[in-house]
Amino acid sequence: MSERNTAIRSLHDLGLAAWFGGSLMGAIGLNGAAQDEGGTAALRDRISSAGWAKWTPVNAAAIGAHLFGGGGLLAVNAHRVATQQGVTASTAAKTAVTVAALAATAYARVLGKKVEMASSSDPADTEKAAKHPIDLDKARRQLACAQWAVPALTGCLVVLNALHGEQQRPSEQVPGMWERVRSATHLMA
């Protein structure tokens, strides 16, 4: 029962840790510092946008590592997902929350790019922003919500990871598999 999957588990966990931690630090630290030190709304937007833009490639790598590791863990634990009671439900919940976190991350990036373009001092960006005008105040509000949704959702993933870890204990696996078999045979009878 105990097979080691250190590399894929590490990719999964380190990727999630960076995704969660980076988004939480950005929402609190980066946006807070821009708010405190920025002066005008446009300058606050530029400071915050510059920081988020620098984080984007690291965040993309973290998300990729998490997804790759998660796929690997799902492959090596497919038998548990199929046979151990409770694992299918927690895996489905984790998948749904992951999709929601990915959507929130993508939405935050799209909104962030719009705010970045609208507040840029670069004439080329100003010209591009003028071709696609946005309600900047509305975009800022939506961006703030999306940037807080990401650490909330990835925090839920951390909790679901803890649940999966508990479900891997031998004391959980045997009764869970036995209950699944018992339920299946009871339905056939």
Side-chain angles (χ1 to χ4, degrees):
M1 272 190 198
S2 107
E3 181 182 318
R4 291 185 182 253
N5 307 110
T6 306
I8 59 173
R9 188 174 306 280
S10 296
L11 284 171
H12 177 266
D13 293 352
L14 287 171
L16 179 56
W19 190 9
F20 169 72
S23 64
L24 186 61
M25 186 283 198
I28 295 171
L30 176 57
N31 291 349
Q35 185 68 30
D36 292 347
E37 302 298 325
T40 67
L43 185 54
R44 289 191 299 267
D45 289 342
R46 284 196 293 273
I47 292 168
S48 184
S49 293
W52 283 106
K54 289 189 180 295
W55 172 245
T56 296
V58 176
N59 195 41
I63 292 168
H66 173 69
L67 295 175
F68 183 81
L73 287 173
L74 184 58
V76 299
N77 288 298
H79 66 285
R80 283 187 50 249
V81 174
T83 59
Q84 184 180 343
Q85 187 163 6
V87 177
T88 301
S90 62
T91 301
K94 190 172 171 188
T95 301
V97 174
T98 300
V99 169
L102 287 167
T105 301
Y107 185 58
R109 186 63 188 136
V110 167
L111 288 169
K113 225 24 196 165
K114 287 180 179 183
V115 170
E116 178 183 340
M117 296 294 272
S119 63
S120 178
S121 59
D122 182 346
D125 288 344
T126 305
E127 185 178 319
K128 287 179 193 174
K131 289 179 184 175
H132 304 285
I134 63 165
D135 180 342
L136 194 53
D137 288 332
K138 181 180 175 183
R140 285 179 182 133
R141 286 190 307 275
Q142 291 172 333
L143 179 58
C145 290
Q147 286 175 332
W148 278 105
V150 175
L153 290 164
T154 53
C156 288
L157 288 174
V158 171
V159 172
L160 288 167
N161 269 358
L163 174 62
H164 271 200
E166 293 296 317
Q167 288 174 329
Q168 282 190 306
R169 293 174 183 248
S171 62
E172 290 285 323
Q173 285 186 32
V174 173
M177 289 177 187
W178 173 250
E179 184 58 33
R180 178 63 68 99
V181 169
R182 192 178 74 70
S183 295
T185 57
H186 183 285
L187 291 174
M188 291 178 175

